Amino acid sequence: MKLEFKNKPIRFLTILILAISTSGFIINETRQHHLNISPPTEVEIHPQKLSNFTLKEGETYQLVNSSIKQFYTISFKGTIEKFDTLSIGKGSGRYLTSNLTITPDSIISTRVTNVTSRKAFKHELQLKNDLSIKIDRGLSSSTVTIINESDTLSFSSDFIGMNQPFIHSSGTQIAVDTFEFICEDYYSDVFVFGDSYVNSSSPARWPYYTHAAGYQFLCDGLPGGGSKDGFDFINAAFSIQQPKYAIWCLGMNDKSDEDSIANENWKNYVEKVKDLCAKNNVTLIFSTVPSVEKRNNRGKNDYIRASGYRYIDFDKAVSDGAGNWKEGMLAKDGVHPTEKGAEAMADRFLVDFPEIKNYKR
């Protein structure tokens, strides 16, 4: 973590990295705070921006729900009336969620992977009057900037974030000017929804190559996500902007097909997505889903190919359609593509959706 603090020195705490399976407790040397933010059980569509409200003791405010992991900004500005603890983040408790907790003398950075890791350091912010917090997420890292009065604290971070951006008060009251989630890709003409296969920052994922080539699209991929998650995200995205094209790449994390019969829950959400896109005058494009040893997707692929809709044939790009992947394209985990497989999928994306070439950054 690279730190820069204008006008004030930084006193470091020993970095704390706690490999624990339970999340929710923020710890420093002298105090213990509980952060308990439960994700909604049903889709809740919130705006990108909230303005002119008071964040009071114990309150949490959330913005639009997404699994966008790159190219966004979370911005918070307000006037401190009372300060004890303030948490800001994107998602809570699930894989890749991240948050920052500010106490009167420390900043604690929390990120969830297979374990929960926390890093803490001292600050000397006065934490009174005007406060600004900005989290700028790029392709593979984030920069956090905190401005309080005349002091500016800036540091690099592994903040990724998943699900809804939130601001949470514990013993704090702030007159908030704005709390905002900014992502220019919401205003592109192409939205892509998927699971862990849909990620722009890893060379073992196909969007990495399309983004690297300069093509612009919204990339909303939730690791471990199924069709229910994807439907929540497409609903939320359409509440902000209706694109020209929506590309639906879900199915790997839905239940396995029985022989060549597509999973009913997956089909149910496919029909919902069809209706949603028709209602919003959005051209819907599906994708086939390669089968792997743990998951038979042949029924889903037969359904897509017979649907009459356009589709990206990712299954054909990497396998023979029966779960046998081409040499060197399946990773050792038996689920995800290698870099070679991801490149083949990216090539297939360009073949089956050549319109993307019209959308350069």
Side-chain angles (χ1 to χ4, degrees):
M1 185 185 299
K2 182 180 180 182
L3 292 162
E4 204 177 298
F5 201 150
K6 300 175 184 176
N7 301 328
K8 293 284 186 181
I10 296 176
R11 295 184 293 118
F12 285 92
L13 280 177
T14 301
I15 290 179
L16 307 177
I17 303 179
L18 307 181
I20 57 177
S21 58
T22 56
S23 62
F25 287 91
I26 309 301
I27 302 171
N28 65 19
E29 290 180 325
T30 59
R31 60 173 64 80
Q32 183 167 294
H33 301 281
H34 185 251
L35 176 60
N36 184 12
I37 302 172
S38 299
T41 55
E42 296 294 332
V43 60
E44 295 181 18
I45 299 173
H46 293 268
Q48 283 183 282
K49 183 177 182 179
L50 298 173
S51 302
N52 302 319
F53 64 97
T54 299
L55 176 68
K56 298 179 181 178
E57 154 67 24
E59 288 187 335
T60 297
Y61 284 82
Q62 296 178 317
L63 299 175
V64 64
N65 195 18
S66 79
S67 57
I68 296 170
K69 301 182 287 301
Q70 288 90 31
F71 309 122
Y72 68 75
T73 297
I74 299 173
S75 179
F76 177 84
K77 295 180 181 179
T79 301
I80 296 170
E81 298 174 355
K82 179 178 70 171
F83 196 92
D84 181 73
T85 301
L86 184 70
S87 295
I88 184 170
K90 192 169 186 290
S92 178
R94 72 167 301 147
Y95 186 72
L96 293 185
T97 56
S98 305
N99 69 72
L100 301 172
T101 296
I102 304 169
T103 74
D105 62 3
S106 303
I107 295 174
I108 302 101
S109 174
T110 304
R111 172 171 149 161
V112 178
T113 53
N114 295 326
V115 295
T116 298
S117 68
R118 297 191 174 93
K119 303 175 184 178
F121 60 91
K122 290 282 191 179
H123 69 75
E124 291 194 1
L125 297 166
Q126 296 300 306
L127 294 177
K128 62 181 181 180
N129 300 324
D130 293 340
L131 175 67
S132 170
I133 305 169
K134 183 178 284 189
I135 302 169
D136 288 307
R137 173 71 185 176
L139 178 63
S140 56
S141 65
S142 299
T143 300
V144 179
T145 304
I146 302 174
I147 302 174
N148 181 222
E149 303 253 81
S150 61
D151 296 326
T152 298
L153 171 61
S154 181
F155 56 94
S156 60
S157 172
D158 61 1
F159 187 106
I160 295 182
M162 202 69 66
N163 294 107
Q164 289 171 292
F166 70 86
I167 191 83
H168 175 76
S169 162
S170 179
T172 292
Q173 183 161 309
I174 297 177
V176 179
D177 295 326
T178 57
F179 175 41
E180 188 171 13
F181 180 72
I182 303 163
C183 180
E184 291 185 1
D185 289 340
Y186 273 124
Y187 302 98
S188 64
D189 279 345
V190 182
F191 288 5
V192 178
F193 300 90
D195 45 39
S196 60
Y197 276 47
V198 176
N199 184 341
S200 293
S201 65
S202 170
R205 303 292 182 264
W206 68 263
Y208 174 89
Y209 300 96
T210 46
H211 264 135
Y215 303 126
Q216 182 179 20
F217 55 92
L218 182 79
C219 187
D220 195 322
L222 179 69
S227 293
K228 168 62 168 63
D229 301 295
F231 187 69
D232 289 352
F233 297 141
I234 195 172
N235 254 304
F238 281 13
S239 75
I240 296 169
Q241 177 77 9
Q242 293 81 49
K244 187 173 181 179
Y245 302 98
I247 301 175
W248 185 254
C249 305
L250 277 300
M252 182 64 82
N253 296 309
D254 292 281
K255 289 184 178 180
S256 189
D257 298 335
E258 295 291 336
D259 296 321
S260 294
I261 301 173
N263 171 260
E264 285 296 329
N265 184 67
W266 174 84
K267 282 200 299 184
N268 180 43
Y269 280 102
V270 164
E271 294 304 315
K272 288 183 178 183
V273 171
K274 286 181 183 178
D275 292 343
L276 181 68
C277 288
K279 178 181 176 182
N280 287 279
N281 197 30
V282 174
T283 298
L284 174 61
I285 298 173
F286 289 115
S287 76
T288 56
V289 186
S291 291
V292 294
E293 184 177 353
K294 299 176 182 178
R295 192 62 43 84
N296 169 25
N297 294 309
R298 292 192 294 276
K300 298 180 184 73
N301 293 339
D302 289 346
Y303 187 90
I304 288 169
R305 291 182 174 118
S307 69
Y309 282 75
R310 286 180 61 185
Y311 58 89
I312 316 296
D313 204 344
F314 288 137
D315 181 46
K316 184 177 180 180
V318 298
S319 80
D320 64 358
N324 302 305
W325 283 51
K326 298 174 185 178
E327 185 177 358
M329 291 192 178
L330 183 63
K332 291 180 180 180
D333 65 8
V335 176
H336 299 95
T338 60
E339 292 183 15
K340 181 179 179 181
E343 286 189 81
M345 294 175 76
D347 289 343
R348 193 75 216 181
F349 181 78
L350 292 176
V351 169
D352 290 340
F353 183 59
E355 292 92 336
I356 193 63
K357 298 175 183 177
N358 298 323
Y359 302 108
K360 283 276 191 175
R361 287 188 179 272

